Amino acid sequence: MTDHPRNGTVAAPGSPFFALHTLGWRAFQDLCAAVLREVWAQSVHTFAYSNDGGRDGAFSGIWQQPPDPIGVQDLPDGPFVLQCKHTKKADTTLTPSDLDDEFAKAQALVDQGLCGSYVLLTNARVSGTSGASIRQRLIDVGVGYPLILDGQWICDTIASHQRLRTFVPRVYGLGDLSQILDDRAYTQAQALLGRLRDELADFVVTDAYRRAVQAVQEHGFVLLLGEPGVGKSVIAETLAITALDAWGCLTVKAPDAAGLVHHWNPHEPNQFFWIDDAFGSVRHERHLTDNWARHMREVMTAVRGGAKVVLTSRDYIYRDARRYLKESAYPLLHEQQIVVDAAQLSPEERQQILYNHIKLGDHPHEVRRSMNSIFARQPTQTPSTPKSPNAWADKRSRATSNSTAAESPTSWHVPAISSAIPTKDSNPTRRPRSP
């Protein structure tokens, strides 16, 4: 078995650093939500960006002591609010004046019985003096337990919690991967990121991605089906990065079943095989399907031995191929199919994908402004359920909130979506891609 860092360790010395200021305010909020679920196992509600009773970019719930209380050992059970504060400026220090509006909002939440504890997560630095002043002002408005966690705490938590990275895969492109991977894994990850970096920048964690993660972690196999251009290959590539991180997998992009069997090493269980267009790229290619039929026993033996296998196929091609594959003899082929269907995207996922493509594209300023009404329509409340922090072994039902979007036009707030979308001149090199 290949040696690789145990989950939760940092390979490189020194404090880990991730360029969180480049995330954008909504992606940072998504990261905060993932900390709540994946690290602290809390059940929360996400409040919208308008008509929210003063909880912009905030989460509320009933705090219950988590299995791994990293950073929150003293937080008492009961109602709590988590406030996200993102700045797009690197090396910024948070001051009490940056939170003047939030203190009044916190008092209103206290009066409603929603805020016994108040957790502030920010990507900025927080000095000892500023932290003490902020805590005192929160206590003065009635908060029973204020807690402030700064950007370095978030970076440390990203580095030490692999499952957090799985559900916010954009962080793989934000820092030095030697902080979390050994030399061999680092080399492979750099090669993968060379192709994947642009896709990760606007990647939206959809339900199809979450189900694919679950299939790989629980069964070692997933077949991604869908129409051309819906994101099957991007999901497969992202799974390759997370498998490299989670298990230290040797990643092999095999051309077909024979190539998979050829590279399979029974003495190296940590292998990740990824085969695009497994049964034909444009039409069904019978020789590829026959190849899978001949080698399926060895493929499933590799999976039972610990290998991870991800196949992609256009849905109409697989419909032609399946009659030759003896699905009944290999249940995983049928049971672990994930359909990547653009028609099944939730309204929020569609909005986030569109937002990201406009943000990273080179559309004229007039086009960006014409999209304001779409981005201004936000859901009033989105429930999200808690996730176990136990990496890759927990088989309970999981659901994650997801969003990635544009940066704030100011240091701290996003009062208007129209201002948040950069103009053409601010990013002239990026081109929009189909979701």
Side-chain angles (χ1 to χ4, degrees), residues 74 208 431:
D74 300 325
R431 298 282 180 182

Side-chain angles (χ1 to χ4, degrees), residues 13 25 55 65 88 100 164 169 176 211 222 226 238-239 253 276 281 283 300 312 327 332 340 347 416 434:
W25 65 276
R55 288 170 284 196
Q65 279 301 310
K88 66 178 183 179
D100 283 341
L164 177 60
D176 179 359
R211 288 186 290 124
V222 66
T238 306
L239 289 172
K253 187 174 183 183
D276 258 338
S281 57
R283 57 179 175 79
M300 292 304 167
T312 74
E327 278 187 338
L332 286 182
V340 184
S434 298

Side-chain angles (χ1 to χ4, degrees), residues 21-175:
H21 65 284
T22 66
L23 270 180
W25 65 276
R26 286 184 64 179
F28 181 72
Q29 177 180 296
D30 190 38
L31 174 60
C32 294
V35 169
L36 278 165
R37 290 186 307 273
E38 306 301 335
V39 180
W40 294 333
Q42 299 301 307
S43 177
V44 297
H45 291 294
T46 306
F47 288 87
Y49 317 114
S50 60
N51 191 29
D52 61 0
R55 288 170 284 196
D56 294 333
F59 305 87
S60 110
I62 303 299
W63 185 265
Q64 297 178 341
Q65 279 301 310
D68 181 12
I70 176 174
V72 290
Q73 293 88 341
D74 300 325
L75 203 66
D77 289 353
F80 79 100
V81 168
L82 183 140
Q83 175 71 49
C84 311
K85 274 298 176 186
H86 179 261
T87 175
K88 66 178 183 179
K89 296 181 179 179
D91 301 321
T92 297
T93 298
L94 185 69
T95 66
S97 62
D98 295 319
L99 299 171
D100 283 341
D101 292 340
E102 303 306 326
F103 297 128
K105 296 174 185 178
Q107 183 169 10
L109 295 172
V110 170
D111 293 342
Q112 297 172 50
L114 298 174
C115 187
S117 300
Y118 186 100
V119 180
L120 177 67
L121 271 180
T122 179
N123 65 308
R125 291 192 303 256
V126 180
S127 68
T129 301
S130 290
S133 177
I134 293 168
R135 280 189 289 271
Q136 186 57 55
R137 290 190 63 178
L138 288 169
I139 291 172
D140 291 343
V141 300
V143 173
Y145 190 90
L147 178 64
I148 303 167
L149 300 172
D150 66 2
Q152 188 57 59
W153 182 91
I154 297 175
C155 289
D156 291 339
T157 303
I158 291 170
S160 61
H161 285 76
Q162 183 278 321
R163 187 170 174 81
L164 177 60
R165 300 191 292 275
T166 295
F167 287 100
V168 191
R170 284 192 62 188
V171 300
Y172 290 114
L174 300 182

